[in-house]
Amino acid sequence: MSKKSSYLSSWIKSKTIFIIFLCFLLLNTNSANSFAASQASPPSREPGATLAPDEIAIMDERDQAIRTAVETLSKSNQSNAKTPTTKRINLGKTKEKKSIWERLFFWEKNQEIASVAALPRNDVIASKEKQSQREIQRQSKKDTGKNGLKSFFSRSDKKSANWEEVVQKRKERRDEFPSLDPEQIRESITDIKIELKQDFLNSQTHNLDDVIRRAIQVHLPAQIAHERIMLADRRILKAFRDFFSEAELTRHTKDGTLEGGPYTSHGWRASFRQPLFKGGVLWNTFKLEMEARETAKRELEKIVSDLVAAASNAYFEYEYAESVLSDKESLFGEAKKAKDMSDQKAEANLISEIEKLNIDSLYGQIDYDLETAKQDLELAKLELQTVLELDLSDPIEIKPTFQVEQFEIYAAGNASDAAHDLNPSKNVEQEATGLPVQISGRELERLVDLAYVHRPDLQVEASKLHAARLTHKISVGKLLPEAEMIIEFGALGEAFEGADRGGIPSLETTEPKLHNEWRIGAEISWKALGNTLQYSFDHDQQAPRISAFQGAQGPIAETQSVTLSVLDSLNSLAELKETKIGVLEQVVALEKTERDVIREVKEAYFNYNKALIQAQSSYKRMKYRERLEALAKHRLDNNEIQLSEYLQTKIDYDEERGKLYKALADFYAAKVDLNRAIGVRDYLRIE
């Protein structure tokens, strides 16, 4: 019965406070309305009192002012609302929606109307103007707030100049791939990406560096690798935090009821858990996260290196196809003139039928080669657009790299001159020295040594091997004893509410007095032979509770316990063996990568030498065909040969130029592959 009465009393107390507050709010509102009405009504007089002539004149002016103000306000409100204007705001349904603040503070508007009615006639107009200005300011603030919310919740890219293109491309992508997630479409097609693409396309021509920069900028695996580096940084922070104590701060307030009656409790507590010995797990975990960050950085370098090679090869293939198409179009123009001339001579019976058929056959072959060159250019352009993430309709203009005239400087000389012209640029390991055309064991060994230092593939596998060994050390450390220390301290106060109860302090106006409490302990565990042995020591001194108020302090407990768990940690033995196997597997992967890297370095070096020799040979054959073409032109002018023979020499010369373009493309691609093989991007100059 006492519990029910205590609950009932507390409920009545809380409800009483709420009712008093509500009545106070209503009284304030009514007093404000009364004040507004008193301001609007004329002052009261005693019955039978006489008025002076001046007072009568003043009252007449006041009545006239009131009537004028009321008529003016009613006329202005008739256009906005059908309900008549009164001194009290109608809280019913109206066509004009009122905000919550207007409904809560409606007495302010009544007060304004009453004050206007109480003014003289000359001040009514000024008061109306002030009221209209306040309405304008209030409306402007409301509009400003709405616009501010709209601008806050609206997307920033809607205001950009490329927003229409963004919307159009998103729509096209949605129509093309209906099952794709709309959020993915919004993230993949953004205003920033469109703006970057426009900046790239607005440039007149692009060199190899521009293409590589654009490819790295839009390459998604490179962005993923960069995010992995950021993830590794956060994991390093977490591993570093594990060296320090785990801290927890708690503050509580509690009200309840016991057998003795309602009571209150409040206090705070701080807990700390400090690792003393973990078998090297914390330190090796920190080193493992540091190694993971280095691995992520090397993987990013590997991705960028592969991307540079792919973008460079696509660039050179496109330039090769573009150069070939240009020569084919020029040759087709001359073949067209030759065919027209042949047709005219055939009609005039000036050439034989065999000559006519030969020219027609050569013309058809040239037309076929032109269509093939157009196809190769479109495919090369598609490959380059794929690397750069451009649309099929986006144009690409590149700066020429195949400078045949500059190649003539060293092609006419010997091999050493060619090698001297193609000196590698300076790098961090060596000075620029000539790369000999003939294979040199010392030069090849130097390139292999550079690959061991700079090749990202080897660095990644070496980092993974180190990480595997650290993982094995962590699994070994988990089998060693572990020790932790626990420290807790705080304060607690509890007391019954109401009158004194047999020496128990009461709580009528003050909170319970806080008493200090603390706890110290240690935990030791050891996983041995699949079993777990645990020892714990705990010394706990608590603050006095309401059940033991007679004492000056709470209970003190000192506990020691030993626990043996039988065969509960067999998984740790399996984990130890698994990490050992992981180390051996990573050793195998490292050795395989090492052999692959050495083979790639040798292949790239041989391909570079062969491409250089092939370029020189193609240039000399082109020069030979150029001389034959000039000789055929001279003989044709002297009518020593037929037109078909001259056209054949032009075709042979054009084919040799195409072979030279191909040899130059292979030569530059070989330089890129050699740079990638040794891990130094600018070891050999590309442009």
Side-chain angles (χ1 to χ4, degrees), residues 447-492:
L447 295 177
V448 172
D449 294 338
L450 288 175
Y452 272 108
V453 177
H454 299 287
R455 182 67 183 267
D457 305 63
L458 284 175
Q459 303 299 325
V460 168
E461 296 301 329
S463 297
K464 288 182 178 180
L465 178 59
H466 191 196
R469 294 191 180 278
L470 290 174
T471 305
H472 179 67
K473 290 181 180 180
I474 291 173
S475 61
V476 173
K478 290 180 179 179
L479 299 178
L480 299 178
E482 299 179 358
E484 291 183 346
M485 183 175 63
I486 303 172
I487 298 176
E488 296 182 1
F489 58 89
L492 177 67

Side-chain angles (χ1 to χ4, degrees), residues 305 450-451 454-456 674-681:
S305 178
L450 288 175
H454 299 287
R455 182 67 183 267
L674 184 59
N675 291 340
R676 175 186 172 276
I678 63 178
V680 181
R681 177 177 172 182

